[in-house]
């Protein structure tokens, strides 16, 4: 599970100002890092999932995710925006911290549910959320998320 997050897949000062912009940033990072073959497929998958129900969490966090054939390997891509974006979050507040989970369709049941559950648990912890918010480098943030989702390994 730890290999699912890499510093190269983290953008700390994204300029996206809309949901579409965030989805595009996630897709571009995925393609640039060989995680996915098609930015369009990632954007379409993220949009389709968001239509089912919001992935907005609370305290400015969201976990947009998708399972599509064009994803080569499971990955978490993190985008942190300069300004908050309306995301229909549980607490009604704008979202600016996006932990996107991309899973190959062939691993939809197992990997997807394990990673989503681990991310959700991590975001319930105030201390972990705060450490994510104050991380200043992609490497630092990757280490925090990796420890948080690995559970008993930390």
């Amino acid at each position: 599970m730890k290999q699912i997050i890499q510093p190269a897949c983290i953008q700390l000062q994204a300029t996206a100002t809309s949901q579409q912009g965030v989805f595009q940033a996630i897709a571009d990072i995925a393609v640039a890092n060989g995680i996915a073959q098609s930015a369009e497929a990632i954007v379409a998958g993220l949009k389709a999932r968001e239509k089912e129900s919001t992935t907005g969490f609370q305290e400015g966090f969201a976990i947009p995710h998708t399972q599509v054939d064009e994803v080569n390997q499971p990955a978490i891509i993190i985008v942190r925006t300069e300004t908050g974006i309306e995301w229909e979050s549980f607490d009604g507040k704008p979202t600016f911290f996006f932990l996107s989970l991309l899973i190959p369709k062939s691993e939809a049941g197992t990997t997807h549910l394990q990673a989503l559950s681990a991310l959700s648990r991590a975001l319930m912890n105030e201390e972990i959320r705060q450490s994510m918010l104050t991380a200043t480098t992609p490497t630092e943030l990757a280490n925090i998320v990796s420890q948080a989702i690995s559970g008993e390994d930390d």
Side-chain angles (χ1 to χ4, degrees):
M1 188 73 86
K2 283 189 170 197
Q3 300 309 101
I4 202 167
I5 177 91
Q6 300 297 324
C9 295
I10 297 174
Q11 186 176 12
L12 292 179
Q13 296 174 323
T15 56
T17 57
S18 66
Q19 195 172 71
Q20 174 68 29
V22 170
F23 290 163
Q24 192 63 56
I26 291 165
D28 291 346
I29 292 167
V31 170
N33 286 280
I35 292 161
Q37 303 157 25
S38 163
E40 294 78 16
I42 298 300
V43 170
L46 291 169
K47 276 186 182 178
R49 171 56 189 84
E50 203 66 38
K51 282 182 183 172
E52 291 175 24
S53 67
T54 185
T55 59
F57 199 67
Q58 59 191 22
E59 305 292 329
F61 286 85
I63 310 175
H65 53 282
T66 189
Q67 317 159 31
V68 293
D69 290 325
E70 291 81 1
V71 174
N72 303 322
Q73 64 193 51
I76 295 172
I77 295 178
I78 299 176
V79 172
R80 190 165 74 190
T81 58
E82 295 289 309
T83 56
I85 296 170
E86 171 51 44
W87 210 270
E88 296 181 20
S89 297
F90 298 140
D91 61 5
K93 295 179 182 176
T95 302
F96 55 89
F97 201 108
F98 305 90
L99 295 120
S100 183
L101 182 57
L102 305 180
I103 303 291
K105 198 152 188 114
S106 62
E107 297 180 39
T110 54
T111 307
H112 176 76
L113 294 175
Q114 288 173 345
L116 192 55
S117 174
L119 277 178
S120 297
R121 271 195 314 276
L123 290 183
M124 302 284 263
N125 182 311
E126 173 72 21
E127 191 176 312
I128 293 172
R129 279 198 319 270
Q130 285 307 311
S131 62
M132 286 183 193
L133 290 172
T134 57
T136 57
T137 68
T139 300
E140 180 184 5
L141 184 53
N143 288 336
I144 291 165
V145 172
S146 181
Q147 281 187 349
I149 63 174
S150 67
E152 54 276 350
D153 293 351
D154 50 0

